[in-house]
Amino acid sequence: MPPKPVHKVHGIDFSTAVMIDYDKCVGCGMCAKVCNETQMIGALRKADVKFPPYPVPRDGVETMNTETTRVKLDSTMCIGCGQCTHACVFGAMVPNSRVSEIFEAKKAGKKLIAVLAPATRVGISEAMGQQPGTTGEAQLIAGLRQMGFDYVFDNQWAADACTIEDTKEVLHMREHKSGPCYTSCCPAWINLVETRYPELIPKVSTARSPHGMICSLIKKKWVHEQNLKIEDIFIVGFMPCTAKKMEAARPQLATEGHQDCDISVTTKEVAQMLKENKIVFSVEKEEELKQTKQGKFDAPFGEFSGSAYIFGKTAGVTESVARYVYAIHGVKYDPSELKLSQVWEHTDKIQNIKIIEFTVKGNLFRAAVAHGGAAVAKCIEMEKELNVDVVEIMMCPMGCQNGGGQPRQAKKDLIPKRAEALDKHDKESKYGDCEHNAQMHEYIKKHLPTEHDVHEVFHTHYENRK
């Protein structure tokens, strides 16, 4: 049994991304420790032992931090990374769930559409009792159908589209010497830029995240193909990330007054849904289902390259861009030609900054990869001396595979095994780069025939919220 709280702060509070149940909080201080020392965000401050953390308000006014009350989470500098939920072993700090809305939408007659992220399929198998490094892709697809979803689409279709749009941005900034170009896939990073580093906004790729792209395309184009109205569908993103809940709520990511993604659900939450429906995972069942229609993604968003899988691991976006650059120059990609060097490492021996170099037809490309809040802060500080074309940022240490919505793994050395599962999927794919995704190219050409159309559906803008 967990220790009983002795403090006088009671009730539940939540931001868009996370929720704290003060009646479960024993005041261990681990959430505040990770927020400050690992992520360097400072949204929580450690209180005395056995007392809940103090949320730190943006305006600095802490009159609500008393013996019996706390400042509201949504008034802090929280970026939604969710690493605090990993740190909490007592279930006091968890993702803010809106799962009940799924069943309300189904009851209202809406068509349910699931969109799966790369890292979710390797996190879900672990959450369902399988060994780290296994995949539950087919079982998750089948399980979602069993729970009433009408369509199951793969976010990786849009990861291929995102690679193309990101590459355009990188090459443009490289040509005009206005970079480096910062990637935009990580919603916690976007929150950090807007609230702490707004001077970097001109350097951040305006390409939406893959999830932002596919949801936009579904609501702006696909619904009309199906003779549906936007209000007839309900899109649920199944993500490894708590910050995706904040991304889903961004006013910039909406169509005709409706959010492009209705709600975002974490790997932890969908695991609970599966268990409540008595759905069991096994290695044997995965092999069986991946050969069936029940275990495969629906068209038109079910075709993708191997490089889309590796979006879910650190340096995956960079490698996807590299593969595409090789492809558009007509050069066969050779992974051994990517030169990797580490230029900084955190004392936790997990976060670091690495440089990746590759040369295509005499042109040298340099990328920096930073994961974890401390590494990101250091990377920004080192921007000029790094001298790179692109900076890949993931706010969670080890990237999406260790996102705030993934199952908690006490043995940190086992988390990279999730990336090994993504690498296996990559190697088993029909082709390795997005240039060879003919179905995606044809669909985009049909529905987004001009660069203006592409920009309207696949790009966004950011705001200074400092």
Side-chain angles (χ1 to χ4, degrees):
M1 290 287 291
K4 221 174 173 185
V6 298
H7 56 79
K8 297 178 182 178
V9 184
H10 302 291
I12 291 172
D13 186 28
F14 52 86
S15 67
T16 305
V18 298
M19 179 182 79
I20 184 169
D21 185 341
Y22 285 110
D23 290 306
K24 292 181 180 179
C25 178
V26 300
C28 70
M30 292 306 295
C31 57
K33 181 179 171 69
V34 74
C35 187
N36 288 276
E37 296 179 18
T38 301
Q39 295 299 84
M40 296 184 70
I41 301 302
L44 299 172
R45 188 175 75 253
K46 195 176 186 302
D48 291 337
V49 177
K50 296 187 179 180
F51 287 86
Y54 293 117
V56 181
R58 286 185 293 269
D59 62 11
V61 180
E62 295 198 41
T63 51
M64 286 301 293
N65 279 332
T66 71
E67 187 181 356
T68 58
T69 63
R70 287 292 184 268
V71 164
K72 293 286 187 182
L73 285 177
D74 63 6
S75 68
T76 71
M77 292 289 285
C78 175
I79 60 170
C81 72
Q83 289 301 303
C84 54
T85 68
H86 283 327
C88 181
V89 298
F90 300 106
M93 189 75 79
V94 296
N96 182 15
S97 180
R98 292 171 58 191
V99 167
S100 61
E101 294 180 36
I102 299 172
F103 306 106
E104 290 168 9
K106 187 71 176 177
K107 191 175 179 181
K110 293 178 184 286
K111 290 195 177 293
L112 296 184
I113 299 173
V115 179
L116 307 189
T120 305
R121 67 205 73 201
V122 294
I124 193 63
S125 58
E126 215 172 303
M128 295 299 288
Q130 294 184 247
Q131 290 298 311
T134 54
T135 180
E137 179 178 275
Q139 293 174 93
L140 180 53
I141 296 169
L144 289 168
R145 295 193 199 284
Q146 189 175 326
M147 290 189 291
F149 278 82
D150 300 282
Y151 298 91
V152 184
F153 294 145
D154 202 328
N155 211 40
Q156 294 183 159
W157 186 96
D160 277 346
C162 185
T163 297
I164 294 170
E165 296 309 305
D166 272 342
T167 304
K168 289 178 187 175
E169 300 266 301
V170 172
L171 296 179
H172 176 82
M173 291 190 198
R174 175 184 165 100
E175 180 185 351
H176 292 86
K177 295 181 171 53
S178 57
C181 178
Y182 286 85
T183 58
S184 55
C185 296
C186 174
W189 160 240
I190 296 302
N191 288 335
L192 186 70
V193 169
E194 291 187 325
T195 57
R196 191 167 298 182
Y197 301 107
E199 68 276 8
L200 292 179
I201 287 176
K203 295 182 180 181
V204 178
S205 170
T206 60
R208 298 179 182 217
S209 69
H211 190 56
M213 287 186 176
I214 195 169
C215 293
S216 176
L217 191 58
I218 290 169
K219 287 201 171 172
K220 289 179 174 67
K221 302 296 178 181
W222 179 85
V223 286
H224 303 301
E225 266 191 321
Q226 305 299 313
N227 294 316
L228 294 169
K229 296 177 182 177
I230 291 176
E231 53 266 31
D232 294 334
I233 66 173
F234 192 82
I235 300 178
V236 184
F238 289 93
M239 302 285 127
C241 173
T242 47
K244 282 292 181 187
K245 295 173 182 288
M246 299 175 87
E247 179 185 85
R250 286 179 69 83
Q252 298 96 321
L253 306 185
T255 301
E256 296 176 17
H258 298 267
Q259 291 304 122
D260 290 334
C261 173
D262 290 285
I263 63 169
S264 184
V265 172
T266 64
T267 309
K268 295 174 187 174
E269 292 168 285
V270 70
Q272 188 60 36
M273 290 169 62
L274 293 165
K275 290 172 184 176
E276 288 172 357
N277 281 272
K278 307 276 192 278
I279 296 171
V280 179
F281 277 30
S282 70
V283 174
E284 295 75 21
K285 190 177 177 183
E286 181 69 19
E287 287 301 312
E288 178 187 330
L289 278 171
K290 73 180 187 180
Q291 306 301 327
T292 68
K293 185 178 179 182
Q294 190 74 358
K296 294 183 186 296
F297 290 103
D298 291 308
F301 307 116
E303 184 72 21
F304 42 83
S305 70
S307 68
Y309 276 110
I310 61 175
F311 257 63
K313 70 171 193 174
T314 305
V317 177
T318 297
E319 186 175 346
S320 298
V321 167
R323 292 185 191 185
Y324 179 57
V325 170
Y326 273 84
I328 60 178
H329 283 86
V331 180
K332 185 178 180 181
Y333 173 70
D334 181 354
S336 68
E337 292 181 2
L338 266 61
K339 307 304 178 187
L340 185 68
S341 60
Q342 184 169 289
V343 296
W344 182 85
E345 185 178 52
H346 192 261
T347 53
D348 63 12
K349 301 299 181 185
I350 294 174
Q351 302 181 69
N352 55 51
I353 302 170
K354 291 180 178 175
I355 299 294
I356 297 176
E357 293 183 333
F358 60 96
T359 302
V360 182
K361 289 197 170 180
N363 296 305
L364 174 66
F365 293 88
R366 282 172 56 87
V369 178
H371 59 98
V376 169
K378 188 65 177 178
C379 188
I380 294 169
E381 180 187 317
M382 296 173 63
E383 182 192 274
K384 288 186 178 179
E385 64 184 274
L386 290 175
N387 189 28
V388 294
D389 301 299
V390 59
V391 183
E392 177 188 317
I393 298 286
M394 296 293 167
M395 286 306 300
C396 292
M398 293 186 273
C400 301
Q401 59 181 322
N402 187 40
Q406 292 282 70
R408 185 177 183 275
Q409 176 54 262
K411 297 180 179 178
K412 299 299 181 188
D413 59 329
L414 291 180
I415 293 173
K417 286 191 173 293
R418 297 171 183 171
E420 291 175 14
L422 294 173
D423 286 335
K424 186 173 184 291
H425 274 302
D426 174 23
K427 288 172 184 172
E428 292 173 349
S429 298
K430 291 180 291 184
Y431 46 87
D433 63 77
C434 61
E435 177 66 2
H436 288 86
N437 188 344
Q439 184 274 338
M440 175 205 65
H441 285 291
E442 289 169 9
Y443 193 89
I444 292 174
K445 185 177 180 181
K446 176 182 177 182
H447 294 280
L448 309 173
T450 69
E451 274 299 313
H452 175 76
D453 295 324
V454 169
H455 202 273
E456 285 293 304
V457 176
F458 284 167
H459 288 253
T460 185
H461 68 275
Y462 312 112
E463 296 178 358
N464 182 345
R465 296 189 279 133
K466 189 172 182 178

